[in-house]
Amino acid sequence: MVEPRDLEIDPFGDREAVKDWCDGGTEFGTGILSHSLCSLSLSCSLGQVWDVKVKSTEGCQTLVELKGPHGLSLTTDDMGQVKCGVTCSNANIFFLETQCNGTWVFRSLKFGTYLEMLENEVTCLMKTPTKCSMWTPHLAIHPHVVLYHLETKCYTRLLPAQHQLCTDSPLPHSNEFNFILHFEKGKYHLQTSDLRYLSLDDQLLSKRSKMTAFSLHLRPGNMVSFHAAHQRVLYPHGRTGILTVGSNPPDLFQYFALKKSKPWVSMKTASKNYLSVNYGEKIYARFDHLTRLSVFQFEATQKGEMVRLRSSDNQLLAQRGQSAVLADGKDVEGVTYFGMEWNQGKLALQAANGLYLQVRPIGQVIASAQEPGVEQEFTVRLVNRPFLILRGRHGYIGSSYRSDKLVCNNNMYDIIVLIPCSRGFYHFQGKNGKFWSMGENYNFYVSGENPLDFCVEIRGDNLLSVLAPNGNYLQSDQSGILSATDSTLSPDSLWEF
């Protein structure tokens, strides 16, 4: 039996394409044709990056262009040959046809022939589709996602006590909104924040199996749906929004957007009090317990130099007047951006007036300090991340084959359980229940009985750095060696999470 071919979408290298797919753009995102494309031309090779760009959509018909490295398009001719090149004709435009099993078929607009793979050769010669012309879309976005329901404009969360999923919240501000989207043998498995799997009969199971395998259907316009057998689909039911598998959903109710899981944080002062929104818009640090008004979405800029803090009421912190800080900012205002200065896991914030945030004796937060110091630093804690999946420049962090040594060039990933501890540190725990440990050469293993202290510092849009116990940053290497040998921040010490 000929299996559908894999089409992998959205690797680490192109963050703007990732944003387009996850946050409502019109592109499918960046992709990799996961077969060897060496036969196409000298400029095409295994693992190159491709964009599946939507040119137009009308009814059920979608026109796309497969755009490869250096701006070259995938083109075909009347002989069925496929190559990379520049063309001014429609030889690079394909109809994208989605099959009932979730696979994609590409039909040439100009010649009416289908893109297919026979053994190691990609051709576009047949006038009728076959199993060889079916491509399984494999999303290569970061697997840690939140599910946004397009029709109700709400996010999906786990209800642990009820053992159910529910789509009912306008903001994904806690652990329960986190999901891992696993791809395996052409199917997708949806794992919850407590590491259980949603099954086809609406149960939450401890292990992945055929009973947890959904077909993921992708549509232009940032729409995905999860399908089971017998034309059943996952969608929220009734006023409660409980997510179950059923038939004949209301129009568009089966569609979700897969979005990045943006970090939500708490910020604690040196006096152990949390920053909170008080009296509607004022920012105080008076209380030592966490509430809904004490969590903020941490919206770092691409380069990680600035951040915006969004309250659970969807208001941005803004610097007003001479030194006031209020939760009344709008997206278009420049005064909602604060400069970031990290120091051993603690964060100082510089307001638009050039001064640093600090706390007055009455607890009010203002921007009035000339220099950052202990009193101007906040302990930042992730409140919506029970675990991390880290992807660097060369791949994911995961266990090496038949060893507890950690490498950083894996195609598959390890789930790192985050255990908060004192002074803003975290302990990293592996799937085997062991803690991360550090060897003599500052390499890392999942073999420790006693936990080590790590600092997590947010450095950009879903990017972080990890400060190891020796004061150096966790770094990736093309060879796969994961180490902490340099105290200087570099691209190799940034991790998508």
Side-chain angles (χ1 to χ4, degrees), residues 194-468:
D194 62 359
L195 303 182
R196 291 184 289 175
Y197 294 92
L198 180 65
S199 72
L200 304 179
D201 57 0
D202 308 320
Q203 303 297 310
L204 292 176
L205 307 180
S206 60
K207 293 184 179 180
R208 201 156 63 207
S209 69
K210 290 182 179 180
M211 282 300 298
T212 64
F214 288 88
S215 294
L216 189 72
H217 290 203
L218 308 179
R219 294 289 187 276
N222 188 32
M223 296 191 294
V224 303
S225 53
F226 297 86
H227 290 253
H230 309 299
Q231 297 184 334
R232 296 181 303 146
V233 65
L234 191 67
Y235 67 95
H237 285 65
R239 293 182 179 179
T240 61
I242 297 298
L243 198 63
T244 58
V245 174
S247 302
N248 303 316
D251 192 31
L252 301 179
F253 249 64
Q254 71 267 39
Y255 291 113
F256 294 84
L258 298 177
K259 293 192 174 188
K260 295 179 184 179
S261 179
K262 297 287 187 181
W264 284 76
V265 303
S266 64
M267 301 181 66
K268 189 183 287 188
T269 65
S271 58
K272 310 299 183 184
N273 291 327
Y274 290 101
L275 263 65
S276 301
V277 181
N278 282 242
Y279 310 113
E281 60 182 26
K282 294 183 179 180
I283 307 300
Y284 280 84
R286 287 177 171 173
F287 306 110
D288 60 0
H289 58 277
L290 198 63
T291 70
R292 183 182 67 85
L293 298 176
S294 308
V295 297
F296 302 90
Q297 184 168 273
F298 198 95
E299 302 176 5
T301 56
Q302 192 71 37
K303 294 183 179 180
E305 298 171 349
M306 310 285 286
V307 65
R308 297 196 303 184
L309 298 171
R310 190 180 300 273
S311 73
S312 57
D313 291 326
N314 204 28
Q315 296 295 317
L316 290 168
L317 268 61
Q319 191 262 307
R320 302 294 188 192
Q322 186 174 355
S323 62
V325 178
L326 302 176
D328 66 349
K330 306 301 180 186
D331 286 297
V332 296
E333 295 184 281
V335 292
T336 60
Y337 287 92
F338 295 85
M340 291 195 295
E341 294 185 20
W342 287 98
N343 178 28
Q344 300 288 314
K346 291 183 171 55
L347 179 66
L349 294 173
Q350 187 177 30
N353 63 0
L355 303 177
Y356 292 87
L357 267 58
Q358 64 179 4
V359 182
R360 297 175 62 189
I362 61 171
Q364 186 179 10
V365 177
I366 58 174
S368 62
Q370 295 287 341
E371 299 289 339
V374 174
E375 296 300 320
Q376 290 75 40
E377 291 179 342
F378 301 95
T379 299
V380 178
R381 179 76 75 192
L382 292 165
V383 298
N384 71 328
R385 291 302 177 97
F387 49 77
L388 291 177
I389 294 173
L390 298 180
R391 178 163 63 171
R393 299 178 74 191
H394 311 293
Y396 289 101
I397 292 180
S399 302
S400 56
Y401 183 61
R402 292 182 178 177
S403 169
D404 55 12
K405 185 177 182 179
L406 289 166
V407 296
C408 58
N409 61 351
N410 271 5
N411 291 325
M412 294 304 295
Y413 41 82
D414 278 6
I415 296 173
I416 305 165
V417 177
L418 277 182
I419 302 177
C421 52
S422 61
R423 295 176 294 148
F425 292 111
Y426 290 95
H427 297 156
F428 287 2
Q429 189 176 40
K431 59 185 177 182
N432 59 0
K434 302 288 187 178
F435 293 100
W436 277 32
S437 60
M438 190 163 57
E440 293 182 357
N441 296 323
Y442 303 123
N443 302 138
F444 291 90
Y445 302 82
V446 190
S447 60
E449 296 294 338
N450 299 313
L452 301 178
D453 291 341
F454 293 89
C455 290
V456 171
E457 301 175 347
I458 303 174
R459 295 289 184 175
D461 182 20
N462 279 81
L463 288 176
L464 57 75
S465 59
V466 177
L467 203 60

